[in-house]
Amino acid sequence: MKLEKITALPDGPRRRHYDDSCAAAHALDLVGERWALLVMRELFWGPKRFSALRASLPGISANVLTQRLEGLEAAGILIRRKLPPPSGAQVYELTEWGYESEPIFQALGRWAARSPSHDPTLPFSAASLLLSLRTMLDPQRAGGLDARIGFALGAESFVAHLANGEIDIEPGPTEGADVVFAGPPPMIAAAIYGGQDLGALEAEGCLAVGGDRRLAERFVSLFPLPPKAVLPG
């Protein structure tokens, strides 16, 4: 029996489709192409230009990125628009329905974090870091905290509001935050998930931490990783 067919979305690129009415199969019709989910991930914190998307996705070609953007746009998951003057640049952003996919990324992240073959030394974007914080936060460990945490990640900056065991993150300046972490996303992840000492990372010039030191030390302990899966044999 033929398992999949190649069709074309209206005014869009040719895509592979499964002959299966299951909603999970249809989800794969929409976002199952290689790089599609990662393109969506990079747009969770606001619109981006084509060049910014490509820079945050090491290994993707301009041609493939164009194809994925066209496919996601045709499916209604993202839109492209022009920024108002004086910029006028074309950007891509998720639709309201596209943003509803966040729980999918969180479930995949928690599940895949248990993989014994997961390699944390591979490239790690700002979007990956921020989405991981919303995925891995332990509400019990964060209980009683009400704080604003800033992240200066190269050319991008964000502020997270931690309250009621939840964390909301928005792009914006870090001024006024109780703690500010400044450095490459992999180095901040090394402190949060790798258990590396903040002082040691600062001494090596990998990371800068400003503001309430005790809060910074507590913050990096709020995101425990799940235990690794035990594989047969």
Side-chain angles (χ1 to χ4, degrees), residues 148-152 158-160 174 177-182:
R148 291 172 59 81
I149 313 296
F151 298 93
F158 304 84
V159 176
T174 61
D178 301 299
V179 172
V180 176
F181 294 90

Side-chain angles (χ1 to χ4, degrees), residues 14-15 76 95 100 131 134 169 179 224:
R14 294 172 64 81
R15 297 167 59 85
T95 61
E100 290 176 10
L131 188 56
R134 285 180 53 82
I169 305 172
V179 172

Side-chain angles (χ1 to χ4, degrees), residues 67-108:
Q67 292 174 7
R68 296 299 169 264
L69 289 169
E70 290 176 350
L72 292 169
E73 182 181 14
I77 295 169
L78 62 78
I79 60 172
R80 53 180 166 173
R81 62 180 176 86
K82 283 190 175 182
L83 295 176
S87 171
Q90 179 173 275
V91 295
Y92 300 85
E93 63 181 330
L94 294 176
T95 61
E96 182 179 355
W97 180 48
Y99 277 113
E100 290 176 10
S101 64
E102 183 178 355
I104 299 171
F105 286 85
Q106 293 178 332
L108 280 173

Side-chain angles (χ1 to χ4, degrees), residues 129-140:
L129 172 66
L130 300 176
L131 188 56
S132 77
L133 299 182
R134 285 180 53 82
T135 299
M136 297 300 180
L137 177 68
D138 185 328
Q140 292 186 333

Side-chain angles (χ1 to χ4, degrees), residues 4 16-17 21-22 48 50 66 81 90 96 124 133 136-138 141 144 149 159 187 200 204 209 223:
E4 62 179 29
R16 293 180 183 276
H17 282 240
S21 65
C22 171
K48 284 188 174 182
F50 185 95
T66 297
R81 62 180 176 86
Q90 179 173 275
E96 182 179 355
F124 197 63
L133 299 182
M136 297 300 180
L137 177 68
D138 185 328
R141 293 193 184 192
I149 313 296
V159 176
M187 292 298 98
E204 294 172 4
V209 181
F223 308 89

Side-chain angles (χ1 to χ4, degrees), residues 28-229:
L28 292 175
D29 290 341
L30 297 172
V31 300
E33 296 280 359
R34 190 165 189 256
W35 293 105
L37 282 172
L38 300 191
V39 170
M40 293 170 62
R41 180 197 70 193
E42 292 304 310
L43 294 175
F44 264 106
W45 312 106
K48 284 188 174 182
R49 301 182 185 190
F50 185 95
S51 58
L53 281 168
R54 192 176 179 195
S56 63
L57 293 169
I60 196 170
S61 68
N63 184 54
V64 170
L65 178 54
T66 297
Q67 292 174 7
R68 296 299 169 264
L69 289 169
E70 290 176 350
L72 292 169
E73 182 181 14
I77 295 169
L78 62 78
I79 60 172
R80 53 180 166 173
R81 62 180 176 86
K82 283 190 175 182
L83 295 176
S87 171
Q90 179 173 275
V91 295
Y92 300 85
E93 63 181 330
L94 294 176
T95 61
E96 182 179 355
W97 180 48
Y99 277 113
E100 290 176 10
S101 64
E102 183 178 355
I104 299 171
F105 286 85
Q106 293 178 332
L108 280 173
R110 282 189 291 265
W111 177 72
R114 299 196 65 216
S115 168
S117 61
H118 175 234
D119 184 355
T121 67
L122 294 173
F124 197 63
S125 71
S128 299
L129 172 66
L130 300 176
L131 188 56
S132 77
L133 299 182
R134 285 180 53 82
T135 299
M136 297 300 180
L137 177 68
D138 185 328
Q140 292 186 333
R141 293 193 184 192
L145 274 179
D146 189 337
R148 291 172 59 81
I149 313 296
F151 298 93
L153 309 174
E156 301 179 280
S157 60
F158 304 84
V159 176
H161 183 203
L162 184 63
N164 302 316
E166 298 181 352
I167 186 167
D168 292 319
I169 305 172
E170 297 288 343
T174 61
E175 286 79 9
D178 301 299
V179 172
V180 176
F181 294 90
M187 292 298 98
I188 297 176
I192 295 175
Y193 301 116
Q196 295 194 32
D197 181 71
L198 287 178
L201 290 172
E202 289 178 292
E204 294 172 4
C206 300
L207 185 65
V209 181
D212 187 331
R213 188 71 182 197
R214 291 181 63 185
L215 176 59
E217 296 284 357
R218 182 175 177 186
F219 180 78
V220 298
S221 72
L222 302 180
F223 308 89
L225 292 174
K228 293 297 185 182

